[in-house]
Amino acid sequence: MTKELFQPLSGNVMPRFGGPATFMRLPACELEANLDVAFIGVPLDIGTSNRPGARLAPRQIRDESRMLRPYNMATRAAPFDSLRIADVGDVAINTFNLQKSMGIIESHYDRLLDTGAKPLTMGGDHTIVLPILRALHRRHGPIGLVHVDAHADINDEMFGEKIAHGTPFRRAVEEGLLDCNRVVQIGLRGTGYAADDFDWSRNQGFQVVTAEECWHHSLAPLMQDVARRLAGGPVYISFDIDGLDPAYAPGTGTVEIGGLTVPQGLEVVRGCHGLDIVGGDLVEVSPPYDTSGNTALLGASLLYEMLCVLPGVQRR
Ligand code: MN
Ligand code: MN
């Protein structure tokens, strides 16, 4: 039996400003809908350390995704021609309890992964990547990682807490979730608590590419290198929108100047083509600080680009 494929609702069928907001105006489906790819929201921001608001991002990203059309004119990717893709809604986190929410997210992703669907996640703050990686690790073993961020998110604690949006990759290493020699962190910058803050990552075997190393040039050569090193195993893409410069993405919680450009962000995601991508997320969009909607639009567009580099996507 051939599987039924879904198409984003065309702007020639329903005006782009009409209808319910799902990602790319795809059908809203149950978790167990036999999907190849599931767009899913995690409306959690109780792990943030500065400005809040990322709880509102899944809704805003869905709304701003309404302009996205099915074909990728740059890469010729045609994701909806071969994969069954829909929006499976949000995880019902407990907004009064971060620890409990970690368990809720992990078991929700367990259920989703049991169906064989690959998750593309609308965060939420970056805390959510830890339970997602726990669920993915159960299926795939240690995972390679392309992590775009202004921050390394490898703090041991924040305000005495082990679980927060600045700690997930430290926990992931401790729990053996990552294949540390296949991890790259791109866009790190800003001020630190100690001069060697980023060295903890390097000492785990991560490749650290600071924002300064990215300034003024294309990241395509870097990504060719990264793709060679990360090949041969599962890879997850975790994209914190604050990796981009606040000139492009001001709607976020912990802003650092001197970040990546939009074309560089696209080069990073497109450079993942050919890798065994098992999922991805776009986190830390904060709609209250995103007065133009451009940050959410960027987030939506980067999630679409992640979709376009998944294994099995045809290029026309
Ligand atoms: Mn982050
Ligand atoms: Mn960050």
Side-chain angles (χ1 to χ4, degrees), residues 32-275:
E32 287 85 6
N34 253 319
L35 301 173
D36 295 311
V37 183
F39 286 99
I40 177 170
V42 186
L44 177 143
D45 67 1
I46 52 175
T48 48
S49 56
N50 192 32
R51 299 166 171 176
R55 67 178 62 184
L56 300 169
R59 279 179 170 230
Q60 195 67 33
I61 290 170
R62 286 186 176 101
D63 193 17
E64 292 296 338
S65 75
R66 69 192 192 215
M67 269 293 289
L68 294 173
R69 293 168 287 255
Y71 293 100
N72 191 319
M73 304 310 285
T75 68
R76 305 189 73 90
F80 302 99
D81 288 7
S82 56
L83 299 181
R84 182 173 156 94
I85 306 159
D87 186 330
V88 296
D90 290 344
V91 181
I93 59 116
N94 179 343
T95 199
F96 304 107
N97 192 317
L98 183 58
Q99 293 286 350
K100 274 188 185 161
S101 292
M102 293 296 100
I104 292 168
I105 296 167
E106 186 178 342
S107 58
H108 199 91
Y109 276 73
D110 268 333
R111 275 176 60 202
L112 178 65
L113 295 174
D114 275 346
T115 73
K118 285 186 180 167
L120 290 177
T121 300
M122 299 165 264
D125 73 52
H126 222 153
T127 319
I128 67 169
V129 74
L130 180 62
I132 294 171
L133 287 173
R134 284 171 176 161
L136 284 167
H137 177 266
R138 202 165 290 126
R139 269 109 196 136
H140 300 286
I143 294 166
L145 176 70
V146 175
H147 171 207
V148 180
D149 206 321
H151 314 96
D153 292 351
I154 46 78
N155 292 292
D156 184 27
E157 321 184 311
M158 299 181 86
F159 216 77
E161 295 295 328
K162 292 280 191 184
I163 300 295
H165 78 151
T167 67
F169 298 111
R170 170 83 67 138
R171 299 288 90 77
V173 168
E174 290 169 353
E175 296 177 22
L177 309 181
L178 295 175
D179 183 355
C180 291
N181 293 312
R182 294 193 305 116
V183 173
V184 60
Q185 297 185 298
I186 303 171
L188 308 196
R189 63 188 187 273
T191 47
Y193 285 108
D196 59 358
D197 270 0
F198 298 156
D199 288 342
W200 189 89
S201 289
R202 295 187 180 98
N203 292 337
Q204 311 312 308
F206 295 5
Q207 180 183 5
V208 173
V209 184
T210 64
E212 284 78 3
E213 293 171 74
C214 300
W215 286 355
H216 313 304
H217 59 79
S218 164
L219 297 189
L222 166 73
M223 290 310 295
Q224 279 179 3
D225 222 55
V226 166
R228 257 193 304 275
R229 234 165 28 76
L230 270 57
V235 175
Y236 185 80
I237 304 172
S238 192
F239 202 120
D240 182 331
I241 199 71
D242 72 29
L244 300 183
D245 192 82
Y248 311 108
T252 190
T254 44
V255 179
E256 310 282 356
I257 65 163
L260 305 187
T261 66
V262 173
Q264 287 175 324
L266 292 171
E267 285 173 332
V268 169
V269 178
R270 289 175 183 173
C272 293
H273 178 59
L275 292 172

Side-chain angles (χ1 to χ4, degrees), residues 254-309:
T254 44
V255 179
E256 310 282 356
I257 65 163
L260 305 187
T261 66
V262 173
Q264 287 175 324
L266 292 171
E267 285 173 332
V268 169
V269 178
R270 289 175 183 173
C272 293
H273 178 59
L275 292 172
D276 181 17
I277 307 294
V278 295
D281 64 54
L282 189 292
V283 296
E284 299 283 356
V285 170
S286 176
Y289 295 92
D290 186 24
T291 51
S292 69
N294 286 357
T295 312
L297 172 63
L298 256 172
S301 303
L302 288 164
L303 280 165
Y304 170 73
E305 294 288 339
M306 288 182 207
L307 173 67
C308 289
V309 297

